[in-house]
Amino acid sequence: MTSTLQPVTALTLDLDDTLWPVRPTLIAAEKVLAEWLRANAPSTAQNTPPAAMLALRAEVAAEHPHWAHDLSAIRLETIRRALRKHGDDPALAELAFDVFFEARHAVTLYDDVLPGLERLASRYPLIAVSNGNAELHRVGLERFFAGSVSARLHGVAKPDPSIFQAACAAAKAPPHRVLHLGDDLDTDVAGALAAGLHAGWICRPDGAHADAAPRAGAHRFATLLDVADALGV
């Protein structure tokens, strides 16, 4: 393992479900949004329970496939459409989204993340590569990273090779010298390998792919501390 990764000079990391579990965070953020709507757009709150909001978001995503990489745009339009549909002021959508977006960053890091990032960042430039809309400074992790590449700003999402290439450029390292770490076997692992990077699968017990077999050519880790150990940091 260590000898295979000796040429690595930079690391790229996924965020959601790699550094924190995203589902409980989003559920909590949805509740915060619902409370805000009850106070500021009661008709929308009453007529748009979680299942209805989810269906509306799917409708927006289907109508705007060019937003597939931009979860913020989809979420904002969903809120705007719900407000309009139920007779509340659609101009409230941006305020409502801001409330949701703030709550979306109230993440609970996995226990290994802070000590793991501390060790990894002491030797390697770290670049965040995410299909989500989390922002490093909002979750208090900016100090560990040399940069970030988001699907929303880049224009396409993982597993498109170009987002990995952009991350390598940000790290000032060629793909074959970069190790990408992420939880998703398709977008992270397969995507990184196809783009010429090393791939590290962060397979946590609560992960969606926890029982799956690793992809050929990928390295399996349970935590970031395991990655640091393997790299001798």
Side-chain angles (χ1 to χ4, degrees):
M1 169 79 195
T2 304
S3 60
T4 303
L5 293 178
Q6 281 297 329
V8 167
T9 58
L11 306 181
T12 59
L13 291 89
D14 175 54
L15 299 179
D16 289 331
D17 286 331
T18 296
L19 304 187
W20 56 78
V22 72
R23 181 173 171 76
T25 302
L26 293 178
I27 290 173
E30 294 279 7
K31 291 180 179 178
V32 170
L33 172 61
E35 292 172 3
W36 189 91
L37 290 172
R38 279 193 290 272
N40 296 277
S43 179
T44 300
Q46 181 177 355
N47 291 285
T48 317
M53 191 69 84
L54 183 63
L56 192 57
R57 191 158 72 248
E59 177 183 297
V60 170
E63 291 180 11
H64 298 277
H66 54 288
W67 287 348
H69 63 284
D70 192 343
L71 300 182
S72 292
I74 293 172
R75 176 79 62 172
L76 177 58
E77 177 57 24
T78 299
I79 297 170
R80 183 180 291 114
R81 190 170 296 190
L83 291 165
R84 186 181 297 114
K85 181 177 180 180
H86 299 294
D88 289 313
D89 186 358
L92 292 171
E94 292 191 8
L95 288 174
F97 175 80
D98 288 346
V99 167
F100 170 85
F101 199 55
E102 183 67 25
R104 182 259 186 275
H105 286 89
V107 302
T108 300
L109 302 174
Y110 290 112
D111 291 341
D112 61 280
V113 167
L114 288 178
L117 290 177
E118 192 81 46
R119 289 171 61 183
L120 294 171
S122 70
R123 178 179 295 181
Y124 302 101
L126 307 183
I127 305 295
V129 187
S130 179
N131 284 356
N133 53 9
E135 298 176 353
L136 291 173
H137 70 281
R138 289 176 178 262
V139 295
L141 297 179
E142 188 177 25
R143 68 188 185 277
F144 296 112
F145 288 83
S148 64
V149 181
S150 71
R152 183 176 67 85
L153 296 179
H154 181 67
V156 294
K158 297 177 293 184
D160 190 284
S162 71
I163 194 169
F164 291 102
Q165 292 161 1
C168 292
K172 298 181 175 60
H176 69 279
R177 293 294 183 90
V178 177
L179 170 65
H180 177 70
L181 303 170
D183 70 289
D184 193 281
L185 282 171
D186 297 319
T187 59
D188 289 307
V189 175
L193 291 173
L197 288 73
H198 297 276
W201 179 31
I202 306 299
C203 181
R204 299 184 181 278
D206 62 347
H209 303 283
D211 296 327
R215 299 290 171 88
H219 305 281
R220 179 171 179 164
F221 305 101
T223 70
L224 294 189
L225 295 175
D226 292 339
V227 179
D229 288 343
L231 292 171
V233 181

